[in-house]
Structure formats: structure tokens, C-alpha cells
Amino acid sequence: MTIYSLYIYDRHCTCVYYHDWHRTRRPKLAVEGGILPAVSQAVVALAAETNSSTLTIYSSPRNTLTSASGVVVAVNEMNAQSAVSPLLQAPPSPVGISSTGLAFDEEVKLVYGVVLSLRNMIKKLSGRDEQFLNYRTSAYKLHLFETLSGYKFVMLSDPGTESLRFVLRQIYVGPFLEYVVRNPLVNMDSKEYGIDNEYFRTSVDRMIRGSSFFP
Amino acid sequence: MATSSKQYLTRGEELWKGRSEKVNAELFALTYGALVVQLIQDYEDYAEVNKQLEKMGYNIGTRLIEDFLAKSNLGRCSDFREVGEVVAKVGFKSFLNISPSITHQAPPVPTSPTRPTSTAQANSAGSSFSLIFDENPLAEFVELPEDALEGGLWFSNVLCGVIRGALEMVQMQVSAEFISDVLRGDETTEMRVKLIKHLEEEVPIGDD
């Protein structure tokens, strides 16, 4: 039973947070301006990983950018770099299959679209009281937890896992409340920024890794 | 899912007791008082102070609703009447440990011959409820000076903003305002919350 990734969407239909644990395919970096800053450093850090591992193959003066992986501005420059060399898309780490060809921002929009469409269809079919819980494919299971305030917590796990809505609710009541809602420095309802911050990320990580669902 | 008002009261009570970090009530009242005084000194116009308090309350409300939804685990309210019940009995109780009494008003009767049923009425735009506060923890030690009374200051206007902000996050656009205030010499402290409209859920922009 493993957990693959977590997406959080706000009520403006934008992805405000992304976190992954196991992914078979590395996400392609987002198109410039496609995602909001402060959604996930992973989109930038992944490129940094690939850079360091492929140093021998492809040395470039632009590798000095790895040190700037924490800065949002670097996303654009990383993009330019990865566009130049397709080698960087496939890191030699054990989970390194080349990406699905979908840029990260398109991916999050599609995930949101799936969730929204299923939810609306279910509401039309059976009325407001029925809730969309999760769906399963041969490769993964997608769990949804939605709050009345419009925040949607989406988690992908392996198909054998039972409902993770409880875990998502724990994330909402725990780290989200503590480090996002009660954090005055996090711009919550903005259409320009995500909610990624150090405390939130580490506490979500700790919570998921410590739970029984994680191997 | 008709939860009785008694159940709401017990829920509010439980939530209040379950809260681990509580603030000293006197410190709270004095801090709020200092805040209002500072605003008055900065703006020097009581209408503007009212507006600022409401705005601050709005920002608080947008976040407070998350805390409320997370802790109370309540589902969606079936109509605006229930919204009022929940706000009065669970909301105020769990955060401020007060239980304002509530009276509901149906929307004004239109002249059209085809009248909707009363349940539909309770949910339509224009319905409202009034909260009457017997005790106001914000105004514990407060006496308003002459020019504040003349200038039309609503001392606890932040509460109006909180309700407006919180309800906006759950798809309801409301207007909340004080009708009377004991600090101004009236008999009761009463806030009227009126539903303007239900907000539609946002759909993602289709860019294809």
C-alpha cells in the first residue's frame, strides 16, 4: 500500500499545492507561467536532481543554476535548460522512466477536470447529498476529500489501498489548519500564489510517512 | 438531517471545551479596545473606522471558517434558517463562548401570485436572521465617548466582517450589520444578517 502523490486545489479551481512520494514517471516541468509560484518546489528541485546526476554526460555552464532551486524565478531558467537537453528528462534514479509527455500544469488541470466532472455528474444523477469518494484504475486509485469551503484534497495511491479520505481529512485538520490557515504569511485565497511553505510540507510529509499506509 | 437546536448547543459546548488554546477574556477585550482606539486615532472618521473593522473581520472570517469546518465536522446547511442556527449556536459558542439568541425573518413577500413554499422561502435571497447578544466579550469594559456616539461607531463591527467573510467562503453572499448596540444606549445589541445571494461554484477557465 503506497501513496503516490497529493494535490490540493482551492475554490478558484487552481492547484495550490503538490507533493509526491513515489512517482514512476517524473513530471515534466511546468510551462512558464503555467503554475503559480509556491505550489511545489518539486517542480524545480527535480530538475536540480537531474542536473547533478547527469553532470558527466552533459556539462553546461548553466548547471550553476542548481543552487537556485529554491527560488521560483529559477523555474523559467530550468525550463530553458531542460528544453535544450532531453537527457535531463530521464534521471538515472530507479524510478526514472521518461515523463508522460504532459507538462505539470496540464497535468494538474486534467486531474482537476476529472474530479470536477465526476463530482458534478454524480450530483446531477443523485442529488446534493451524494459525494464522490474515489475512483480506481489498473494503475492507481484517486481519493477526493472536499471541504465546504471549496478546498479539494486529491490523493493518488496504489489500487489496493482502501479509502484514504480519512487521511486527507487528517491533513486538513492537522497540518493545513496549523500551517496554512493559522499562518498569516500564507496568502490563502489569492489567485496568484500557492500555499507551499516549509512547515506545511514537512508536517504533511511526516504525517504521511508515519501513517500505516506508507510502506 | 434535521439536527435540533439542542444538538447544536451541545456541539458548540463540546467544541469550546475541546479547544486547547484559549485566550484570557480580559486580555482579549483590552486588546480589541486598544485596536479600536488606534483605528480611531489613525482615521479620525468613525464611518471609516467601521469600514476598517469590517474589513479586518472579513479577513479573519475567511480563515475562521476553515477552523470551524475542520473542527465541527458539520455538513452543508439545508437552508438559510439552519445557517443562522449553526452560526449562533455552534459558531459563536465554539469561538467566543457566548450564545446569542436568534430570530428568523422570511424574505419580503413579492406581489406575484405564484408563491413558493415556505421552505423555499427560507432559502431565497432576502431571508435574514437577527442575532441578539446578551453579553459581548469584546465590549467588556467599554464606554463610548460623546463624539463616538455622534459619529456612529459600531464598536463590535469586526463581528459583522467575520460573519460576512466566513459565509462567503461557503458560497453565500450576505450583508451583516448592527442594528442596535448597548454601548450606544440602545436596549439590546442586535446584528442583522441578510442573505443577498448564493454564489455559484467557480469552474476552471476553458483554454482550449
Side-chain angles (χ1 to χ4, degrees), chain A residues 11-13 109 112 116 119-120 123 128 146-152 169 172-173 176-178 180-184 186-189 191, chain B residues 19 21 58 62-78 95 123 168-171 199 201-205 207:
Chain A
R11 63 191 200 112
H12 299 296
C13 315
K109 277 196 204 148
Y112 186 75
L116 194 72
R119 196 170 62 90
N120 291 349
K123 288 221 158 89
R128 288 194 94 192
E146 199 188 336
T147 70
L148 283 175
S149 50
Y151 276 92
K152 297 166 189 70
R169 182 150 196 281
Y172 178 53
V173 175
F176 186 76
L177 207 62
E178 271 305 313
V180 177
V181 176
R182 295 206 177 155
N183 185 344
V186 169
N187 204 344
M188 258 183 78
D189 209 32
K191 307 199 187 186
Chain B
R19 244 171 229 288
E21 329 113 351
Y58 178 82
T62 56
R63 297 193 180 226
L64 201 74
I65 186 74
E66 303 287 345
D67 190 302
F68 180 72
L69 289 173
K71 298 263 161 72
S72 73
N73 201 13
L74 287 173
R76 194 170 279 284
C77 290
S78 46
F95 289 113
N123 211 13
E168 191 166 308
M169 294 292 121
V170 279
Q171 319 300 113
L199 297 166
E201 220 182 74
E202 286 184 36
V203 279
I205 324 157
D207 51 354

Side-chain angles (χ1 to χ4, degrees), chain A residues 126-193:
Chain A
S126 337
R128 288 194 94 192
D129 288 335
E130 204 133 308
Q131 285 186 30
F132 168 58
L133 300 176
N134 49 52
Y135 77 77
R136 193 167 64 155
T137 72
S138 48
Y140 66 89
K141 192 168 183 183
L142 180 146
H143 311 257
L144 169 72
F145 172 71
E146 199 188 336
T147 70
L148 283 175
S149 50
Y151 276 92
K152 297 166 189 70
F153 293 73
V154 174
M155 186 168 269
L156 271 64
S157 68
D158 74 295
T161 319
E162 21 168 278
S163 181
L164 286 182
R165 269 172 63 89
F166 179 68
V167 175
L168 288 171
R169 182 150 196 281
Q170 292 292 94
I171 294 180
Y172 178 53
V173 175
F176 186 76
L177 207 62
E178 271 305 313
Y179 299 116
V180 177
V181 176
R182 295 206 177 155
N183 185 344
L185 298 173
V186 169
N187 204 344
M188 258 183 78
D189 209 32
S190 86
K191 307 199 187 186
E192 294 149 30
Y193 284 97

Side-chain angles (χ1 to χ4, degrees), chain B residues 16-66:
Chain B
W16 169 252
K17 296 223 173 81
R19 244 171 229 288
S20 49
E21 329 113 351
K22 293 195 183 91
V23 162
N24 179 306
E26 282 152 13
L27 175 66
F28 182 60
L30 292 173
T31 308
Y32 183 70
L35 173 75
V36 178
V37 164
Q38 190 61 52
L39 281 175
I40 294 172
Q41 281 173 5
D42 287 344
Y43 286 101
E44 289 175 10
D45 168 29
Y46 290 104
E48 190 60 36
V49 171
N50 284 338
K51 213 155 65 138
Q52 287 302 319
L53 283 173
E54 214 267 350
K55 201 162 97 160
M56 290 162 67
Y58 178 82
N59 291 328
I60 294 175
T62 56
R63 297 193 180 226
L64 201 74
I65 186 74
E66 303 287 345

